[in-house]
Amino acid sequence: MTAQSTARASAPGPAGHPFLGMAPAFKRDMLGTLMAGFRDHGDVVAYQFGPRWGRPPLSVEVIMAHHPDAVHEVLTTGRTFSRRTTGFQVLTELIGTGLLTSDGDVWLRQRRTLQPLFTPRRVAGYTELMTAEAARIASEPGVESGSTVDLHQLMQLYTLRVVSRALFGDDVDEAVPELQRLVPVLGDLALARALQVVRPSLRWPTPRARRIVRARAEQYAIVDRIIAKHASRGAGEDGDNMLSRLVAARDPETGQPLSAAEIRDQVLVFLLAGHETTAGALTFTLYLLGRDPAAQERVAAGDPGLIRAALMEGMRLYPPAYSTERLADVDTTLSGYHVPAGTRVMLSSYVTHRHPEFWPDPDRFDPDRFTGGHDRPRYAYFPFGGGPRSCIGEHFALLEAAVLLRTVLARYRIEALDERLPLTPMITLRPAEPVRAVLHPR
Ligand code: HEM
């Protein structure tokens, strides 16, 4: 029998509002809604957006796949699941066609061209600048005076400085506050637009479209200014950084360089994808350690294996890239359920990382889940995605985060002040409020 004929009919899911479906629940509390759906319906859950009796485009069904086997299938079967989804269309409208949003042959050419910039050996070359930037955190006003700091703000500062020095060979300190302001604005607008059942073109001057167009222009202005500054320094003074490598990069098969627009879009992707995710991973990990003095003391002793384990466990509970989506291009099945061609399929590492079958006592912070050997399916844990579209910056992020944790924990004992950590899921998972902490010198 074929997979299709053995598949049970459609996946189960919550009923939702008769006219709006699950849209209000997702807007109100996306993570709570996803966790409740998983608890009540299991590994594959169908969510309806729009009226219950409606048909596309007025009403759409989104399938959430939570079991590691289904995650594996969706991430690694590129011929069945493509990137042509609403979420990525909205991202393309906002940040152009860089490596994160491109598809098909364009993506393949870009990935081949950019991959050599992110090999472990190349990335190791950035250790020195990462260490210098981690040490520089000590002279930030709140840290120096021993008063309460916002861990998220501090980690954004660190990751923006690191990624910009790695990208441009120069810090972009003057652009840091602008980017810190713009990123949540863009995230908010993107999410609101992605959840809209009907999306008018951005050329229609609705208030939201105007805000999107304005924010997009502002971010491009920042990137153009940085690229112009870089170009004006001239080739002679130009050190070894990613922007000069982007300019020099050639497709290994065709020998073609990247166009100016492609370079701008790649810079934007690296700047945005490269700082907010790592800042989140660090904020969440420091917060968890800051609430668990015993674990913190063990990690602060400096064993690289334990530092890595704490970071992995931080990203298990709070994966910065907490969800992604694909489009089923052909009829298929997931965990035994029929998924028709044209269905939006979403994955959420936030939910799968709490799957009790693979993570006993899932809400407990325990870095030892990542020390020693463990027998888990590969896709029970996927903070960096997987398959051909996995994160190109994984080595970079892991090194950058480990350097910061080692440096900061050797100097300070972190005390996180708040018992709760409210979250805002945007494009990435972000703390909803300042993450207050005191860094006590050791
Ligand atoms: C802790 C930090 C990071 C996390 C958790 C993370 C997570 C992810 C995930 C889950 C994906 C796959 C998305 C999908 O399948 O839809 C991804 C893709 C990507 N990431 Fe990261 N990322 C991190 C850091 C970085 C850094 C530092 C950079 C660049 C400097 C970067 C650049 C990218 C790019 C360009 C892609 C798209 C790759 C492609 O489609 O070929 N990321 N990231």
Side-chain angles (χ1 to χ4, degrees):
M1 272 200 290
T2 64
Q4 264 89 343
S5 60
T6 57
R8 280 168 275 161
S10 14
H17 185 279
F19 299 109
L20 303 169
M22 292 302 287
F26 269 70
K27 266 190 203 136
R28 202 171 43 241
D29 176 11
M30 183 191 294
L31 298 174
T33 304
L34 290 177
M35 286 306 294
F38 174 54
R39 191 192 55 225
D40 297 342
H41 303 283
D43 285 331
V44 178
V45 189
Y47 295 94
Q48 178 97 16
F49 290 82
R52 214 173 279 164
W53 58 87
R55 300 193 150 273
L58 198 60
S59 186
V60 282
E61 187 177 74
V62 175
I63 298 281
M64 293 287 319
H66 299 310
H67 192 280
D69 294 346
V71 173
H72 188 160
E73 184 99 9
V74 172
L75 287 179
T76 60
T77 326
R79 238 170 281 147
T80 311
F81 295 99
S82 77
R83 278 282 242 244
R84 287 180 288 277
T85 65
T86 315
F88 282 108
Q89 273 163 14
V90 169
L91 259 188
T92 307
E93 288 175 338
L94 256 74
I95 65 172
T97 321
L99 188 60
L100 182 66
T101 49
S102 59
D103 203 7
D105 288 346
V106 174
W107 168 77
L108 187 63
R109 188 168 65 80
Q110 292 182 347
R111 182 92 190 197
R112 274 200 312 241
T113 311
L114 299 172
Q115 189 72 55
L117 308 185
F118 288 94
T119 59
R121 198 177 56 83
R122 282 272 176 100
V123 165
Y126 296 118
T127 314
E128 209 174 300
L129 80 84
M130 290 169 178
T131 311
E133 289 300 342
R136 200 172 148 202
I137 287 298
S139 48
E140 285 309 310
V143 180
E144 206 167 27
S145 62
S147 49
T148 304
V149 295
D150 172 8
L151 287 176
H152 188 216
Q153 200 270 340
L154 214 53
M155 292 305 105
Q156 280 181 324
L157 207 57
Y158 167 68
T159 57
L160 265 173
R161 285 169 175 169
V162 167
V163 83
S164 60
R165 278 185 63 186
L167 269 176
F168 317 116
D170 195 3
D171 61 43
V172 290
D173 278 12
E174 75 283 355
V176 167
E178 270 182 277
L179 282 164
Q180 279 182 321
R181 181 183 58 77
L182 261 180
V183 167
V185 172
L186 284 163
D188 214 9
L189 290 169
L191 192 66
R193 190 159 163 82
L195 285 177
Q196 259 180 321
V197 176
V198 180
R199 268 177 311 284
S201 151
L202 285 181
R203 279 191 288 268
W204 282 62
T206 62
R208 184 182 291 141
R210 273 199 224 142
R211 282 203 301 277
I212 290 179
V213 170
R214 196 178 325 127
R216 190 173 60 184
E218 282 182 65
Q219 75 180 351
Y220 274 125
I222 297 174
V223 172
D224 285 344
R225 214 163 55 226
I226 296 169
I227 295 179
K229 186 173 154 200
H230 185 267
S232 72
R233 280 208 309 270
E237 298 155 58
D238 209 0
D240 181 28
N241 58 64
M242 286 190 197
L243 184 51
S244 26
R245 290 180 194 177
L246 277 174
V247 174
R250 298 289 178 272
D251 184 313
E253 275 186 16
T254 65
Q256 268 197 356
L258 297 167
S259 71
E262 275 181 314
I263 289 176
R264 179 167 95 161
D265 286 353
Q266 300 305 351
V267 166
L268 188 59
V269 165
F270 291 153
L271 201 58
L272 296 180
H275 92 272
E276 183 54 29
T277 42
T278 319
L282 281 167
T283 305
F284 298 134
T285 305
L286 285 173
Y287 167 81
L288 290 162
L289 290 171
R291 300 292 305 168
D292 185 341
Q296 184 177 161
E297 286 318 297
R298 283 180 64 212
V299 175
D303 169 6
L306 209 53
I307 291 176
R308 165 75 75 108
L311 181 67
M312 303 297 260
E313 176 67 346
M315 288 193 294
R316 180 185 70 82
L317 281 169
Y318 302 112
Y322 68 99
S323 92
T324 187
E325 64 178 349
R326 299 290 189 269
L327 189 76
D329 280 340
V330 294
D331 285 354
T332 186
T333 58
L334 284 174
S335 299
Y337 289 103
H338 179 56
V339 177
T343 307
R344 272 171 80 179
V345 177
M346 296 197 62
L347 307 175
S348 171
S349 43
Y350 184 89
V351 178
T352 303
H353 289 180
R354 286 173 165 74
H355 200 305
E357 209 177 312
F358 311 103
W359 304 104
D361 196 1
D363 292 330
R364 193 165 58 89
F365 174 65
D366 177 12
D368 282 322
R369 295 182 203 264
F370 292 95
T371 54
H374 291 280
D375 190 19
R376 284 179 209 119
R378 158 68 182 87
Y379 285 97
Y381 185 71
F382 59 108
F384 294 101
R389 305 293 306 239
S390 69
C391 179
I392 201 171
E394 178 173 351
H395 297 302
F396 187 94
L398 289 176
L399 181 66
E400 178 185 15
V403 165
L404 184 285
L405 289 177
R406 190 181 63 222
T407 311
V408 166
L409 292 172
R411 290 188 183 189
Y412 302 98
R413 183 175 58 78
I414 314 264
E415 183 194 1
L417 301 180
D418 299 303
E419 210 172 301
R420 291 187 57 250
L421 179 64
L423 300 167
T424 310
M426 292 190 176
I427 299 174
T428 59
L429 193 60
R430 294 166 59 94
E433 290 163 13
V435 183
R436 300 181 316 133
V438 178
L439 276 57
H440 303 279
R442 286 190 182 269

